[in-house]
Amino acid sequence: STWGKQISQMSKYGHGSSSATKEFFDPPEVLEAKAEKLAEMIRSSKHFIMFTGAGISTACGIPDFRSGPNTVLKTGAGLWQKKTASKKGPKMVMNRAVPSITHMAVYQLLQEKILKFLISQNIDGLHRKSGITYEQMAELHGNRNLEFCKKCNKQYLRDYRTRTALNVHDHQTGRKCDDPKCGGDLYDTIINFEENLPQRDLDLGFAHASEADLCVVLGSSLVVTPAADMPAEVSKRGKLVIVNLQKTPLDSHAAFVVHSLIDPFMKLLMDKLKVKIPKFYLTRHFAAEVGGKGEEKVIKIRGIDELGAPFSCFTQATLMAGKTRIIVKREPYFLSVPPGIHSFDVILYSYGHYKEPGCKFHVDLASFKPIKYKIVFDPAFPGKGWTVTPFQRQNSQPLLFTNNERNKKKKKKKKK
């Protein structure tokens, strides 16, 4: 089912009064008791969901929206309070932000199937960067790194900010769908005030809210609807727990409220659950295959996400064989192999947000088969470079075919 058009539009909300930005802190012994209580609620729940807001990313150096001028946060006042603030937070390059303890904890809870679904208001892309997949969550207000084609609905994840328009309600990015049978215009996915939320995410959010017997809100003021209606929906028949520094309009609907910075409380909670919080590693995937006839070989390479959808995480691909260098900077990368060369290296260069070097892999044409690679980099030890391993997700799509080509192949298989 779908939710009415009237409630699909993001509400317009003012910047808030000083009382709305006042911060509260539970003492350590109270936090300990609340963490224990919540852990027990999670263990006994059948459909546990989480709802996250900008407050989970302040630990990553990204300011929230509504924190007041006297906030304890190192990021300083929220984006709508900065003009009146004496405390200015340091500037953060969003692409260099590292997922927080909370991001990684949420990822692990999903991996262990303790958490059934994530509803997010965050647009910073850090949930996806932590390893959470598109199918595990609803991004209600969009993702700064995601754009899509309105003509064929193909999505493109990027390692950069996709929004280019200056007009608030203009979302065209100027890029085109690279499916040769489509070529439609691409649009960013950011949802601004008084714009409709994406139907898929809206439906999934409300569906899981209707099924949930427990919802934990992390770092949201819960004033923007229809997003805030989802935790409210859970409170009608299940339990709602809110973790936030400020008071929210849904506090009276909650089983209890935790007033704390998000990361310290999540450490406590994960300890009570006996679930280890994983370290963040930058993880990328790409597909490679060889095409062409006779001596005219071409190796095709494309960055992809875990599900096989396009992901622009490289800036160029370079074929290296002896003194031969072939450089391609447009994706997907088609590297024409010179006649007589049957063995060579390919280096993929990233955007370098974490000082990551190029990633090298070897190709032997005689034995090379279409394959997906998973590459992993530790930002804490950039000198170690990338770890490269073959990767094949169960039930994933074929490698580098467009949507139309995939459909043709499926039809041919059915005829056989």
Side-chain angles (χ1 to χ4, degrees):
S1 63
T2 58
W3 301 85
K5 187 176 180 181
Q6 188 177 358
I7 66 160
S8 72
Q9 194 176 86
M10 190 198 281
S11 61
K12 191 169 185 179
Y13 179 77
H15 299 175
S17 63
S18 58
S19 61
T21 60
K22 185 178 179 180
E23 296 171 348
F24 298 85
F25 300 88
D26 289 337
E29 64 275 13
V30 174
L31 288 178
E32 186 84 21
K34 287 180 177 179
E36 184 63 63
K37 186 177 180 180
L38 180 55
E40 184 53 43
M41 291 166 69
I42 291 171
R43 280 190 285 266
S44 61
S45 69
K46 292 182 178 178
H47 197 87
F48 162 45
I49 67 172
M50 277 185 161
F51 181 98
T52 63
I56 72 162
S57 294
T58 55
C60 311
I62 300 171
D64 61 16
F65 295 95
R66 295 182 174 84
S67 288
N70 299 314
T71 181
V72 299
L73 298 173
K74 292 179 181 178
T75 47
L79 295 177
W80 295 333
Q81 300 285 337
K82 281 193 171 182
K83 288 182 181 178
T84 60
S86 56
K87 180 182 176 182
K88 305 288 183 183
K91 286 187 177 180
M92 161 57 69
V93 178
M94 194 86 78
N95 290 326
R96 295 177 189 164
V98 173
S100 67
I101 286 168
T102 298
H103 286 100
M104 299 312 300
V106 173
Y107 162 78
Q108 192 61 30
L109 290 172
L110 282 165
Q111 288 296 101
E112 299 196 15
K113 296 184 172 27
I114 296 169
L115 178 64
K116 299 301 188 285
F117 195 71
L118 171 64
I119 302 171
S120 174
Q121 293 175 290
N122 302 71
I123 65 167
D124 52 40
L126 289 175
H127 278 310
R128 291 292 295 269
K129 196 171 280 189
S130 74
I132 296 172
T133 65
Y134 174 74
E135 60 192 4
Q136 291 176 309
M137 69 174 186
E139 291 183 299
L140 300 179
H141 297 163
N143 182 328
R144 71 189 297 274
N145 302 121
L146 188 67
E147 58 186 326
F148 74 105
C149 175
K150 282 189 177 180
K151 193 173 175 183
C152 71
N153 291 318
K154 188 175 181 180
Q155 290 193 340
Y156 293 83
L157 193 61
R158 312 291 194 189
D159 209 7
Y160 52 83
R161 181 177 183 255
T162 60
R163 185 164 175 78
T164 58
L166 298 176
N167 187 302
V168 67
H169 295 306
D170 178 10
H171 294 278
Q172 202 165 321
T173 65
R175 290 176 286 272
K176 299 279 186 180
C177 178
D178 64 20
D179 185 333
K181 304 230 172 177
C182 178
D185 293 323
L186 299 185
Y187 294 79
D188 72 63
T189 56
I190 297 301
I191 306 299
N192 294 311
F193 288 129
E194 299 182 318
E195 292 182 340
N196 290 335
L197 272 62
Q199 200 65 52
R200 174 259 182 197
D201 300 88
L202 190 70
D203 288 345
L204 275 174
F206 274 114
H208 280 276
S210 297
E211 189 178 350
D213 54 4
L214 174 63
C215 175
V216 175
V217 174
L218 300 175
S220 174
S221 58
L222 296 173
V223 295
V224 177
T225 57
D229 295 332
M230 295 176 189
E233 180 71 22
V234 178
S235 70
K236 292 176 184 177
R237 62 189 68 80
K239 292 176 181 177
L240 174 65
V241 175
I242 300 169
V243 187
N244 200 52
L245 283 179
Q246 299 92 4
K247 293 183 177 180
T248 81
L250 292 184
D251 285 1
S252 61
H253 297 261
F256 61 90
V257 176
V258 180
H259 289 301
S260 168
L261 292 168
I262 310 298
D263 274 7
F265 184 74
M266 283 302 292
K267 276 185 186 177
L268 267 178
L269 178 63
M270 296 294 277
D271 183 54
K272 303 293 182 187
L273 290 169
K274 294 182 170 51
V275 177
K276 187 178 178 181
I277 301 173
K279 179 180 175 180
F280 167 68
Y281 291 93
L282 184 65
T283 304
R284 298 286 184 250
H285 302 82
F286 68 90
E289 62 181 322
V290 173
K293 297 179 180 179
E295 285 291 304
E296 296 179 356
K297 298 294 186 185
V298 176
I299 181 164
K300 312 172 193 176
I301 302 166
R302 153 150 255 164
I304 55 174
D305 69 7
E306 300 89 340
L307 305 179
F311 182 10
S312 300
C313 49
F314 305 111
T315 58
Q316 73 174 51
T318 301
L319 184 152
M320 301 176 66
K323 294 183 179 180
T324 301
R325 296 287 186 277
I326 297 173
I327 299 170
V328 178
K329 294 186 177 181
R330 184 176 177 178
E331 58 180 345
Y333 305 108
F334 289 79
L335 294 162
S336 297
V337 183
I341 293 179
H342 303 286
S343 180
F344 52 89
D345 289 327
V346 173
I347 300 181
L348 298 173
Y349 292 93
S350 303
Y351 284 83
H353 301 314
Y354 304 99
K355 298 181 179 179
E356 63 270 28
C359 174
K360 183 166 73 172
F361 69 101
H362 186 72
V363 176
D364 188 331
L365 291 178
S367 59
F368 192 79
K369 295 179 180 179
I371 193 169
K372 292 180 182 178
Y373 289 96
K374 176 182 179 180
I375 61 174
V376 178
F377 173 78
D378 186 351
F381 298 96
K384 287 187 176 180
W386 295 92
T387 301
V388 184
T389 54
F391 167 80
Q392 184 65 45
R393 180 186 164 90
Q394 191 176 4
N395 298 325
S396 59
Q397 293 280 8
L399 290 180
L400 292 172
F401 299 107
T402 64
N403 290 338
N404 290 329
E405 288 170 327
R406 285 172 182 155
N407 292 335
K408 283 181 181 178
K409 283 190 164 283
K410 286 178 183 176
K411 286 178 182 177
K412 283 181 182 178
K413 284 182 180 178
K414 284 181 181 178
K415 285 180 181 178
K416 288 178 183 179

